[in-house]
Amino acid sequence: MKQFRIAILMALSMVVGGSAMATEKQFASPDGNLVVTVNDEGGKPVYQVSLGGTAFLNPSPLGLYTNIGELFQNLTMKDCQVRTVSDSYTLKTTKQREISYEATEAVCQFEQNGRQVLDVIFRVSNRDVAFRYKLYPRRVRGGETLVAVITDEASGFVLPEGTTTFLCPQSRPMGGFARTSPSYETGYSLDDAMGKNGYGEGYSFPCLFKNGEKGWLLISETGTDGTYVGCRLLNAGGANYKIGFPQAGELNGHGSISAAVSLPYETPWRTITLGTSLKNIVESTVANDLVQPKYKASKDYTYGKGSWSWIIGMDSSCNFDEQKRYIDFSAAMGWRSVLVDALWDKQIGYEKMEELSRYAQSKGVGLFLWYNSNGAWNDAPQSPKDKMDKSPARRREMAWMQKAGILGIKVDFFGGDKQPMMQLYEDILTDANEFGLQCIFHGCTLPRGWERMYPNYVASEAVLASENLHFGQGACDAEATNACTHTFIRNVVGSMDFGGSTLNKYYNADNQHGTVRRTSDVFALATAVLFQSSVQHFAMAPNNLTDAPAWAVQFMKDVPTLWDEVRFIDGYPGKYAIIARRAGQKWFVAGISAQKEPLKTTIDLSPFFAKGSTVTAYTDDAALNGSAKPMKIGKKPVAVTIPENGGLVFVNE
């Protein structure tokens, strides 16, 4: 039956439909369930997407605005070559280690005035639709035009009526702290109506939509590098959304919002992940399926857990003695690293940092060092600065770090998504790899397939992260809601450097005053599983060795940061989240809830744990008092209760 359905759909790909002047092509995923239809009626190319016969995207525009022609109208589809593509690869730094990718590829060729000017390349897997453009040179008097400027995209997404939105508004440029926005650090609007445009500047990727009771779709992009711009999603009225280029004010107004490209040129991919539940979205690997490594790793990079003093002690904690104490703490936890945050160059100094690095290495610990990305794109005063924005200074600094045995860098306060800024990300990564350094980005853009493209890339913030828990009680009050959101949106497309999972009661070095953590200790353990990044610098502090429950401390010693597999179990953005991750033979089933009424549900543990085996169950009572107890796996699904701000974790022995 499956083969018959695929045969019918492939036959449909050759049908000419619509009016006498229109060509329509249809092609499907390998399982035949996800179908894309492309049409050029009226000279304007459009596509639509259905899942299981249900419309998830209505006819939506395709095309590019360029300085060598308007490639979204007066186009004729001449051919659509369809084939099956596949790939298998290993990627240990994201949510799935061994990945097998299979998709239907359709290259739809468009002519304008009898000349081939544009291809729209589609990839349709069993859970994702992706497309990108190939732009061709233009013949002109005396030769060919081999360069172009892409000023905008016509690419759109027309959603069915009644769709609701789960979106992160993009900030206006040169706002926020020290004029560092936009940096993908705003709160989500959940279960909202269509037709809005955030704060007026659209939305940051990824963007989640609920197609009534029919299912979900996540729109994002991947493969963006220094040859293009980072994009956003703009509402074009009602159910119509479109790709938006950067805002003119980004990067302190420097640089164009356009992309200058050499021809022929293939744009980054626009991705749409679809499912009747959130399973396909949580488990999708499309961000890395569509890209290839840009260079080889210069060394065998290692990964793991670490500590950082800044989240609890702020700037004043970046001194020699306190960092030495955190090195001892990481060593006691069996962790790999310590992140030394801003102002270390002034409050510790380069010579003492070399001494600190030697001490760390003697304890089996390495250091990550913080840097300001500036540059001339914001007012952030924290140092070291003027070290990462230009190649000579950057390479001198990295040579010093390599000699001192530094593991990696955390670079902060980027200035937007224009082409020069995307090139800076690529330049930092490329140089860092040459010197054997891993890279974490903060105050930054969304990663777009970077785990696979750049072997020394670790993670990006690009989320309203743990620092806000220190800065305001409101963020603490909303921690569970946000965590139940990131699990299904931000973290599904790329590694997320959140920096959480504290066991302090207060975000202060004395653990007696400051903002109050509302979530439980088990919640902290669960988010160490729910939030994925191959390097995790947790917000734990040395005092937790004596003032936190021993079972919680032991869990944080043991929890992996490298995962082999992820599976969706249940959840709803902003309300609750239950997923499972596997590391080797060990499964971690983790859940949290933000709902006022306790979440009462059942979980089938049989896919993860053998009948009759014993697991450790970390659970909360109604007062958020946690415990760790052995539990035997029986025949039936397990009834669980998760209180508001609480969590649960099941781990096999």
Side-chain angles (χ1 to χ4, degrees), residues 33-34 110 139 165 270 346 466 589 616 627:
N33 200 39
L34 190 51
F110 288 88
R139 290 197 174 276
T165 71
R270 281 69 193 83
K346 295 180 178 178
S466 62
V589 175
T616 301
S627 64

Side-chain angles (χ1 to χ4, degrees), residues 10 76 92 125 130 142 153 185 194 270 302 308-309 315 340 458 463 467 588 593 614 618 635:
M10 295 300 285
T76 302
K92 64 182 179 180
S125 72
E153 293 191 18
E185 295 180 29
M194 294 188 293
R270 281 69 193 83
T302 58
W308 61 313
S309 67
D315 289 349
V340 186
V458 173
V463 72
E467 64 204 47
F588 292 72
S593 178
T614 299
Y618 301 84
K635 295 181 181 179

Side-chain angles (χ1 to χ4, degrees), residues 282 487-488 529-530 566-569 577-581 588-590:
V282 169
T487 304
F488 301 119
V529 176
L530 293 171
V566 62
R567 293 193 197 175
F568 168 77
I569 297 176
I578 307 173
I579 69 170
R581 295 194 193 273
F588 292 72
V589 175

Side-chain angles (χ1 to χ4, degrees), residues 468-496:
N468 296 281
L469 301 172
H470 188 120
F471 292 145
Q473 188 59 47
C476 289
D477 297 343
E479 182 183 5
T481 298
N482 290 331
C484 291
T485 301
H486 304 327
T487 304
F488 301 119
I489 306 179
R490 162 63 183 90
N491 208 184
V492 302
V493 301
S495 299
M496 181 177 75

Side-chain angles (χ1 to χ4, degrees), residues 33 232 288 354 362 395 400-401 430 511 529 560:
N33 200 39
R232 55 195 162 125
N288 292 301
E354 292 174 8
S362 74
R395 292 179 64 82
W400 168 79
M401 283 187 272
T430 304
N511 201 15
V529 176

Side-chain angles (χ1 to χ4, degrees), residues 576-597:
Y576 67 102
I578 307 173
I579 69 170
R581 295 194 193 273
R582 178 176 63 84
Q585 299 302 311
K586 202 163 190 174
W587 278 101
F588 292 72
V589 175
I592 56 174
S593 178
Q595 300 180 113
K596 291 193 178 298
E597 293 298 319

Side-chain angles (χ1 to χ4, degrees), residues 33-202:
N33 200 39
L34 190 51
V35 179
V36 175
T37 305
V38 183
N39 191 291
D40 67 353
E41 188 166 4
K44 294 186 176 182
V46 298
Y47 73 107
Q48 57 193 91
V49 179
S50 65
L51 176 65
T54 299
F56 271 67
L57 281 181
N58 292 325
S60 304
L62 294 164
L64 298 174
Y65 295 77
T66 80
N67 69 340
I68 60 171
E70 294 184 337
L71 305 181
F72 61 91
Q73 59 186 358
N74 301 319
L75 296 176
T76 302
M77 183 163 51
K78 300 304 293 183
D79 194 11
C80 202
Q81 299 174 358
V82 180
R83 64 174 184 143
T84 298
V85 296
S86 61
D87 188 17
S88 296
Y89 61 97
T90 299
L91 193 61
K92 64 182 179 180
T93 57
T94 188
K95 57 186 169 184
Q96 188 83 15
R97 180 182 290 259
E98 302 295 335
I99 301 166
S100 294
Y101 173 70
E102 183 180 6
T104 300
E105 180 183 84
V107 181
C108 298
Q109 300 170 349
F110 288 88
E111 290 186 354
Q112 191 177 67
N113 301 322
R115 297 179 302 180
Q116 184 178 0
V117 294
L118 188 73
D119 292 347
V120 185
I121 304 169
F122 285 92
R123 291 276 187 90
V124 188
S125 72
N126 291 341
R127 58 192 175 197
D128 309 287
V129 173
F131 66 89
R132 67 177 174 183
Y133 303 102
K134 184 173 183 179
L135 180 62
Y136 286 93
R138 287 291 187 89
R139 290 197 174 276
V140 294
R141 184 177 299 175
E144 283 187 312
T145 298
L146 297 178
V147 296
V149 175
I150 301 174
T151 57
D152 200 0
E153 293 191 18
S155 312
F157 312 87
V158 181
L159 295 147
E161 291 299 324
T163 296
T164 51
T165 71
F166 300 75
L167 303 175
C168 178
Q170 187 158 109
S171 299
R172 292 184 174 89
M174 305 300 289
F177 170 75
R179 298 197 296 166
T180 56
S181 66
S183 50
Y184 292 63
E185 295 180 29
T186 60
Y188 283 80
S189 58
L190 303 175
D191 263 321
D192 206 353
M194 294 188 293
K196 302 178 182 180
N197 212 21
Y199 305 147
E201 306 299 341

